[in-house]
Amino acid sequence: MNGGMDKIDGFCEFYEEQVRYAFRVIADGREEAYLWDGWDRDTKTTFNLKL
């Protein structure tokens, strides 16, 4: 948007806040509210971290 890959994008802060919000939603365990029914059908877990 700003003329090259070596320039800071005008929406950098917006995108950063979107990512931070997404991580907060996931950390709070609320991600299912944003996903459609059956979104994980035909997927398989390859890694499961249990704390």
Side-chain angles (χ1 to χ4, degrees), residues 7-23:
K7 308 248 191 286
I8 295 175
D9 186 31
F11 295 102
C12 254
E13 291 177 21
F14 172 75
Y15 293 132
E16 180 181 355
E17 186 54 36
Q18 291 292 306
V19 171
R20 289 180 186 277
Y21 178 75
F23 284 148

Side-chain angles (χ1 to χ4, degrees), residues 2 9-11 13 15 19 23-24 29 31 34-35 37 44:
N2 289 334
D9 186 31
F11 295 102
E13 291 177 21
Y15 293 132
V19 171
F23 284 148
R24 285 193 306 269
E31 70 277 1
Y34 295 90
L35 300 170
D37 293 337
K44 63 180 176 178

